[in-house]
C-alpha cells in the first residue's frame, strides 16, 4: 500500500454551466399519433431536469425550463385537434407561454442563464424578486401565474385523453365535460364556465377526433394506437403536473384564485 499521493492532484474547476441534457430514449418503431410527440417532449423536460417523482415536500422532481416550454408548444398541436370551438383555449395557452418565456428571459439576464435553467431556479428567482405576495398571491404577468394556468389546462387535457381511452363508448363532448368539471371548472368565473360549456358541446365526433390524432395511421390500427398513446401521454402529463405543482406549493406560489 503506497498510501495517498502528496500533494493531491488538482481538482477540475466547477462549471457554471447547467449539466448537459440527457437525450430521451429512441422512440419505439412504427407509426404514431401526434400524441407521441407530446409524450416524448414532456418526458425530455423531466429527464433533463433530473430528480425523481418521489416528492419529499420540497419538490425533488425537477424540470428543464427550455424543454418544458418546448413541450407545452408541442402539445398545442394536440389542443388544436379539438377543433375551432377550442380556439379560445389555444389562444390562452399561447398567451401564458409568452408570459412564461418573457419572465424566464428577463430573470436570466439579471441572474444568469444557468441560475434559471431549471424550473426551481426560475421560480425561486422570481419569488426572491418580491413581485409576489405571501399566501400564493401571484403577480400577473409572471412565470408563476403563467405556469399555474398552463398546469390547469394540462390537467384538463390529461383528464380528457385518459377518459377517452378508458371509456370508449362515451362521446368526446361528454368526456371533455367530465374532465372540465374535475380539473378546471372550479378556477373559472361564471362567464368562463358558460363559454366552456358552449365550446365543449361543439367538439367533433370521436371518430373525427381519432382521424385527426392519427392521420398517418392505417384505419384498421388508428383507434388502438390512439387509445394506447392517449394513456401514455396522460401519464407523462400527470408526472409533469405533479412536479410543477410540488414546486409551486413548496415555494408558497400555489395561487388558488379564480380567473
Amino acid at each position: 500500500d503506497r498510501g495517498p499521493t502528496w500533494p493531491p492532484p488538482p481538482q477540475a474547476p466547477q462549471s457554471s454551466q447547467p449539466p448537459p441534457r440527457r437525450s430521451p430514449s429512441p422512440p419505439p418503431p412504427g407509426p404514431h399519433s401526434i400524441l407521441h410527440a407530446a409524450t416524448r417532449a414532456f418526458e425530455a423536460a423531466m429527464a433533463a431536469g433530473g430528480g425523481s417523482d418521489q416528492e419529499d415536500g420540497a419538490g425533488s422532481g425537477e424540470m428543464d425550463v427550455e424543454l418544458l416550454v418546448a413541450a407545452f408548444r408541442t402539445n398545442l398541436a394536440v389542443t388544436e385537434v379539438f377543433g375551432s370551438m377550442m380556439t379560445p383555449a389555444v389562444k390562452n395557452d399561447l398567451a401564458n407561454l409568452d408570459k412564461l418565456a418573457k419572465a424566464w428571459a428577463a430573470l436570466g439576464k439579471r441572474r444568469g442563464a444557468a441560475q434559471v435553467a431549471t424550473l426551481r431556479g426560475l421560480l425561486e428567482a422570481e419569488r426572491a424578486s418580491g413581485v409576489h405576495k405571501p399566501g400564493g398571491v401571484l403577480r400577473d404577468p409572471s412565470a408563476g401565474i403563467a405556469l399555474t394556468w398552463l398546469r390547469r389546462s394540462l390537467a384538463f387535457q390529461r383528464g380528457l385523453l385518459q377518459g377517452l381511452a378508458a371509456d370508449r363508448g362515451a362521446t368526446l363532448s361528454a368526456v371533455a365535460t367530465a374532465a372540465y368539471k374535475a380539473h378546471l371548472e372550479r378556477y373559472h368565473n361564471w362567464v368562463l364556465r358558460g363559454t366552456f360549456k358552449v365550446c365543449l358541446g361543439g367538439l367533433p365526433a370521436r371518430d373525427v377526433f381519432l382521424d385527426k390524432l392519427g392521420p398517418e395511421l392505417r384505419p384498421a390500427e388508428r383507434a388502438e394506437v390512439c387509445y394506447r398513446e392517449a394513456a401514455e401521454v396522460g401519464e407523462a402529463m400527470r408526472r409533469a403536473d405533479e412536479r410543477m405543482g410540488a414546486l409551486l406549493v413548496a415555494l408558497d406560489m400555489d395561487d388558488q384564485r379564480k380567473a
Side-chain angles (χ1 to χ4, degrees), residues 55-70:
E55 302 300 348
D56 58 6
S60 61
E62 259 291 15
M63 306 280 288
D64 178 277
V65 178
E66 182 178 359
L67 292 181
L68 179 60
V69 171

Side-chain angles (χ1 to χ4, degrees), residues 13 88 94 111 119 156 180 191 209 244:
L94 280 169
R111 296 295 189 97
L119 190 58
F156 161 66
Y180 176 73
V191 175
F209 183 65
M244 291 183 281

Side-chain angles (χ1 to χ4, degrees), residues 188-253:
H188 282 174
N189 58 35
W190 67 272
V191 175
L192 283 172
R193 290 182 182 185
T195 301
F196 259 79
K197 184 177 180 180
V198 172
C199 292
L200 298 178
L203 293 180
R206 177 182 285 255
D207 57 345
V208 174
F209 183 65
L210 293 176
D211 287 347
K212 292 181 177 179
L213 284 180
E216 297 183 4
L217 296 170
R218 295 192 300 270
E221 66 181 359
R222 181 174 294 127
E224 285 305 316
V225 172
C226 286
Y227 290 139
R228 183 181 70 247
E229 294 186 351
E232 291 171 353
V233 75
E235 176 60 16
M237 288 174 172
R238 182 195 65 77
R239 292 174 55 218
D241 179 36
E242 288 187 356
R243 290 192 179 201
M244 291 183 281
L247 284 171
L248 289 169
V249 169
L251 298 174
D252 191 28
M253 296 175 68

Side-chain angles (χ1 to χ4, degrees), residues 57-174:
S60 61
E62 259 291 15
M63 306 280 288
D64 178 277
V65 178
E66 182 178 359
L67 292 181
L68 179 60
V69 171
F72 277 120
R73 292 197 185 281
T74 298
N75 192 58
L76 285 173
V78 178
T79 312
E80 290 169 349
V81 170
F82 292 111
S84 60
M85 294 300 290
M86 292 300 287
T87 297
V90 174
K91 289 182 177 179
N92 191 59
D93 283 352
L94 280 169
N96 283 310
L97 275 171
D98 186 56
K99 289 179 187 179
L100 178 59
K102 286 181 177 178
W104 177 42
L107 286 166
K109 288 181 179 179
R110 293 201 296 267
R111 296 295 189 97
Q115 294 299 312
V116 297
T118 65
L119 190 58
R120 174 181 285 280
L122 172 61
L123 294 177
E124 285 180 340
E126 187 169 84
R127 186 182 66 163
S129 72
V131 299
H132 303 308
K133 296 179 181 179
V137 179
L138 305 182
R139 178 182 176 180
D140 190 4
S142 67
I145 198 67
L147 190 70
T148 295
W149 282 105
L150 287 168
R151 277 190 66 223
R152 292 170 181 173
S153 178
L154 193 68
F156 161 66
Q157 291 180 54
R158 168 172 58 87
L160 192 162
L161 292 168
Q162 289 181 325
L164 192 73
D167 186 355
R168 302 187 183 187
T171 65
L172 183 60
S173 289

